[in-house]
Structures are given as C-alpha cells and as structure tokens.
Amino acid sequence: MQLIPLFLYLFALPAHSLFILVPLYLYPGTSGSAWSNVTAAIAANPKVNWQIIINPNSGPGTYPPDANYIAAVSKINSYPNALTLGYVDTDYTRVPYATLTSQIDTYAKWSTYTQANISISGIFFDDVNNTAASAVYSYYQKAGTYAYNKIPSDITPVVLNPGAPAPAPLFKYADTVLEYEGTLQGYKDGTTIDTFTKGYNSQAAIVIHDTTDTAARESAIFGCFRCVGWLDAELEDETGENWRKKRKGRRCSGKGLGARNECEHVYLAVALISA
C-alpha cells in the first residue's frame, strides 16, 4: 500500500519523545532535489526528531541504490536529528519470511557503502496484519527480531503499520505501531484516538494524508490535534510571520513532554514540509 502523503506526516511518541514520521515514497530527483522541502525542514528544526521512511522500489531494490538515492539519503543522514528507515512490505503476512530477511539484509548492506553515508537506521514494515492470531504474532515477532539484530545502528527503530488499531501483542515486537493511516476527512481527532489499543499510546502513531476539501483541511490544521492522547497540537499550513500571528495566543500543552517549545518546533516543522 504505497501512499504519497501530500500534506501531513504525523507524530509518534515512543520512549516519551515526540518525532515526525515521514513516508518519503517519492523518487528523490536529481541529487535529491525532490526531497528539498523535507531536508530544509529537518535543517531548520534541529530540536525536532525525524524518522524518514525510504522506499526505492517497494523495498530496497538493488544494491547499491542509484546516484540520486545515494545523494538524497546521505544528505538526510548528515542531520543528527534524523533517522532513516527502510521500507519492507509484509502484505499482511503473505510475503515469505525469507523475502523479508533478504530485503532487510540489503538495507543493512547500505552501511558498507564507502563513498557516502547511506546507512539505514531502522525498518518500517508496511501492510501489517492486525488479526489477533498466534501465527500473525509469530510472523511479526520473527520479522522485528531479525531487523533489530541485523540493522547495524546504535538505535534501531522498528515500526509496524497496520494502519488501524492493533492487538496488544504486536506492540512487543516494535518501537512504534501506526494505528491510523488515512485521509484527513477520515480522521476524527479524539474519536479516532479513543479506538487505539489501550495502554500503548506511548508507542502509537498516526499518518494523515490527502484532502481535496480546502475548508476541512483548514479547519483541522488550524484546529487542535490530540496526538495519540499525549499532545494538543495545531498543525499550521503556513510559514513565517503569518503562521506565527495565527498561532499567537493558542495553547500548546504536552503531557509528559515537558517543553512547550518542543510543540512549537513540531508545528513549524510540519508547516515547512507541507509548504
């Protein structure tokens, strides 16, 4: 399920640290030019943590990746506040385990490339089966364990994406679980969040993409998003002084985050990406 988020890549809160998760399912263009909004936002917001999902060909493709991917990934890796995650499709457990491990092996091999730093820090498993069944749990336990053991990084984030509420055992096999992936129109703020698996909000994430309804978009962006039960967040689709004026006087509260300015940096980062 490859979606190109057109305006919003949302938040997750593992280890009590807010970060922006970016599904960058977009060819980087010449020397990474098509990723310039993302790299500019990362550079402009050094207090924001980022996890960037890299997806050359519904997986890693061949090794090494082409010159444009090398330039683009190495640029992201130059920022200390950004981690890259390799995309692996599981097709709801229909992808054979040997295929998963082969793709993870290829991403791990990126760290051996000597002409640029294109190492991958973690793995993003897509199309995750959220059926409560022992065979499903076994599949993702093995997949997650292999990723943790194989990817040569000090921090190896593993993300599972069922795109819907997941059974509790799946949270044991990953750092982060996407419990909503869908359009802005389908996202219902607190109502959506209340459907998430109880007791695992610190590992939950949401990704919102696509809207053709300008009024609905503005209402949501200038309104208040409760990010997985932890944060009141207004997502402003503006930059510069106009953005700051509209935001002035609005309250940003983060339970367990401890820093108002972290919220503000996240707002600005999302605004810069979506501009």
Side-chain angles (χ1 to χ4, degrees):
M1 173 170 55
Q2 291 198 51
L3 297 172
I4 300 177
L6 299 180
F7 104 90
L8 178 63
Y9 329 83
L10 218 78
F11 314 112
L13 300 122
H16 310 291
S17 178
L18 189 69
F19 67 86
I20 295 180
L21 181 68
V22 182
L24 199 51
Y25 306 164
L26 174 70
Y27 186 73
T30 304
S31 299
S33 58
W35 293 4
S36 59
N37 273 10
V38 174
T39 53
I42 294 170
N45 295 274
K47 294 184 179 181
V48 175
N49 294 316
W50 304 76
Q51 292 187 14
I52 312 297
I53 306 166
I54 308 299
N55 184 12
N57 188 24
S58 293
T62 58
Y63 173 86
D66 71 28
N68 291 326
Y69 263 103
I70 289 169
V73 173
S74 63
K75 184 166 187 177
I76 289 175
N77 281 342
S78 70
Y79 299 109
N81 57 325
L83 298 174
T84 50
L85 279 61
Y87 176 98
V88 174
D89 187 13
T90 70
D91 194 20
Y92 308 99
T93 71
R94 287 188 288 263
V95 173
Y97 179 68
T99 302
L100 296 186
T101 59
S102 175
Q103 292 193 12
I104 294 168
D105 288 346
T106 300
Y107 282 123
K109 193 176 180 181
W110 287 24
S111 67
T112 68
Y113 187 77
T114 58
Q115 298 179 46
N117 177 12
I118 60 169
S119 59
I120 293 295
S121 297
I123 296 295
F124 177 89
F125 290 107
D126 198 14
D127 292 328
V128 168
N129 190 329
N130 65 345
T131 304
S134 58
V136 170
Y137 302 153
S138 177
Y139 181 93
Y140 290 110
Q141 181 182 27
K142 290 197 297 181
T145 299
Y146 193 86
Y148 284 125
N149 291 337
K150 190 68 178 183
I151 298 298
S153 66
D154 294 333
I155 301 173
T156 304
V158 171
V159 180
L160 299 179
N161 180 25
L170 286 184
F171 288 84
K172 294 187 285 187
Y173 314 136
D175 299 283
T176 306
V177 178
L178 261 68
E179 295 202 90
Y180 179 80
E181 181 186 31
T183 64
L184 176 61
Q185 286 88 343
Y187 180 70
K188 305 300 181 184
D189 194 17
T191 303
T192 298
I193 292 166
D194 288 342
T195 68
F196 291 177
T197 307
K198 304 304 180 187
Y200 293 94
N201 279 0
S202 64
Q203 290 178 256
I206 60 178
V207 170
I208 296 174
H209 60 82
D210 292 291
T211 179
T212 57
D213 186 334
T214 302
R217 173 178 174 172
E218 290 180 353
S219 175
I221 290 171
F222 298 128
C224 180
F225 270 81
R226 269 202 307 133
C227 296
V228 231
W230 280 63
L231 176 69
D232 289 336
E234 300 152 25
L235 305 177
E236 307 288 2
D237 192 27
E238 305 225 13
T239 58
E241 238 4 81
N242 192 35
W243 179 86
R244 293 184 183 89
K245 285 177 182 176
K246 287 190 176 184
R247 221 203 139 266
K248 186 177 181 181
R250 297 185 182 226
R251 184 174 66 87
C252 169
S253 63
K255 186 168 89 176
L257 297 174
R260 175 190 171 93
N261 65 355
E262 183 176 10
C263 307
E264 293 173 343
H265 282 291
V266 168
Y267 299 146
L268 184 55
V270 173
L272 287 172
I273 275 190
S274 60

